[in-house]
């Protein structure tokens, strides 16, 4: 049976719909950076998703070709994730989505090295005739965070974020969003196939102990 990161690391991907503190280890990702409203048709965000999945599945299916990755095992491609921020603000203003900056992400298995990523970009470019130069190999050490499962519309996320902020303050933490630490979302539902009120999104924010 294929290794499923969501099932094997439930503390990272399947939190309860109540805030909790979690320490996230260093992980490698496929990443695409961009700006703008994520709902815009043919916008940078929606295009980034296509880029990510093309490379993710090139790596997953590599065992069928001549490029053999050391330590490869069969796995389920992890869910789509995103880092989000707006310039000059620690908070997210959901009423001005046109001001979003983002990094779209898909986690890579630990056995995937930078050289395997480079091969996958070259292979996908050759097979699809598409420029995948926007995709990068990103290592991110997230550290201590508050997280919570949000169920429902993305537009209602501020309600869950408010609960997270109350929880972290009660436990002696403060928000630690910086140019290197981001508001983080993990998308467990496909909005094309799931009713809005049933969408599941892990919301995670970086925090630090109050001195």
């Amino acid at each position: 049976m294929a290794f499923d990161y969501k099932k094997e690391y439930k503390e990272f991907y399947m939190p309860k719909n109540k805030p909790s503190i979690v320490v996230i280890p260093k992980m490698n990702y496929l990443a695409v950076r961009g700006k703008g409203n994520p709902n815009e048709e043919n916008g940078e965000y929606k295009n980034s998703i296509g880029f990510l999945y093309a490379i993710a599945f090139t790596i997953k299916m590599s065992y069928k070709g001549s490029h053999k990755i050391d330590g490869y095992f069969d796995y389920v491609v992890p869910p789509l994730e995103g880092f989000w921020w707006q310039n000059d603000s620690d908070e997210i203003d959901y009423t001005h989505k046109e001001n979003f900056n983002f990094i779209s992400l898909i986690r890579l298995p630990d056995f995937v090295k930078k050289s395997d990523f480079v091969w996958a970009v070259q292979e996908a470019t050759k097979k699809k005739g598409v420029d995948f130069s926007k995709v990068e190999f990103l290592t991110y050490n997230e550290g201590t965070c508050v997280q919570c499962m949000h169920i429902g519309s993305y537009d209602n996320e501020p309600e869950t974020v408010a609960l997270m902020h109350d929880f972290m303050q009660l436990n002696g933490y403060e928000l630690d969003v910086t140019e290197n630490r981001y508001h983080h979302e993990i998308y467990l539902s496909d909005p094309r196939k799931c009713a809005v009120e049933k969408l599941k999104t892990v919301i995670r924010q970086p925090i630090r102990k109050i001195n």
Side-chain angles (χ1 to χ4, degrees), residues 30-34 42-59 77 80 102 104-106 108 117 120-121 124-125 128-136:
L30 298 171
V32 176
R33 301 170 189 265
N42 296 315
E44 289 187 26
Y45 178 71
K46 292 192 174 180
N47 288 336
S48 75
I49 297 173
F51 290 145
L52 289 177
Y53 276 107
I55 304 303
F57 277 98
T58 298
I59 293 171
V77 171
L80 179 69
F102 65 83
S104 292
L105 307 154
I106 292 178
L108 287 169
F117 161 77
V121 171
T125 300
K128 297 179 180 294
V130 174
D131 180 7
F132 288 102
S133 60
K134 286 188 175 182
V135 186
E136 62 184 271

Side-chain angles (χ1 to χ4, degrees), residues 48-128:
S48 75
I49 297 173
F51 290 145
L52 289 177
Y53 276 107
I55 304 303
F57 277 98
T58 298
I59 293 171
K60 174 178 168 58
M61 304 308 292
S62 62
Y63 71 93
K64 291 190 173 183
S66 59
H67 183 87
K68 304 301 181 184
I69 300 176
D70 288 343
Y72 180 96
F73 55 79
D74 190 21
Y75 65 99
V76 177
V77 171
L80 179 69
E81 308 184 33
F83 298 149
W84 298 90
W85 72 97
Q86 291 164 323
N87 294 336
D88 303 318
S89 176
D90 290 345
E91 304 291 341
I92 299 291
D93 181 356
Y94 290 77
T95 64
H96 287 284
K97 295 177 182 176
E98 72 277 6
N99 296 330
F100 275 139
N101 299 284
F102 65 83
I103 305 176
S104 292
L105 307 154
I106 292 178
R107 181 181 178 177
L108 287 169
D110 291 341
F111 60 71
V112 178
K113 298 179 177 61
K114 182 71 176 289
S115 57
D116 300 312
F117 161 77
V118 171
W119 166 82
V121 171
Q122 294 172 344
E123 183 74 3
T125 300
K126 180 173 65 177
K127 286 189 173 181
K128 297 179 180 294

Side-chain angles (χ1 to χ4, degrees), residues 6 19 24 30 60 69 76 121 126 145 170 174 181 205:
K6 298 189 302 298
I24 309 298
L30 298 171
K60 174 178 168 58
I69 300 176
V76 177
V121 171
K126 180 173 65 177
C145 298
L170 285 171
E174 62 185 358
R181 303 192 78 199
Q205 292 191 325

Side-chain angles (χ1 to χ4, degrees), residues 165-200:
H165 287 187
D166 289 344
F167 177 83
M168 72 181 182
Q169 290 166 7
L170 285 171
N171 285 273
Y173 290 88
E174 62 185 358
L175 194 64
D176 190 31
V177 171
T178 69
E179 61 182 10
N180 297 310
R181 303 192 78 199
Y182 309 101
H183 173 95
H184 186 176
E185 300 184 1
I186 304 174
Y187 307 105
L188 302 178
S189 306
D190 185 339
R192 300 169 300 178
K193 303 176 182 178
C194 181
V196 170
E197 64 272 15
K198 295 182 179 179
L199 290 171
K200 289 185 176 181

Side-chain angles (χ1 to χ4, degrees), residues 15-55:
K16 297 179 181 179
N17 58 346
K18 296 188 296 185
S20 61
I21 306 296
V22 63
V23 179
I24 309 298
K26 182 168 66 176
M27 300 180 189
N28 295 326
Y29 296 89
L30 298 171
V32 176
R33 301 170 189 265
K35 298 180 179 180
N37 188 331
N39 298 320
E40 181 183 351
E41 289 299 327
N42 296 315
E44 289 187 26
Y45 178 71
K46 292 192 174 180
N47 288 336
S48 75
I49 297 173
F51 290 145
L52 289 177
Y53 276 107
I55 304 303

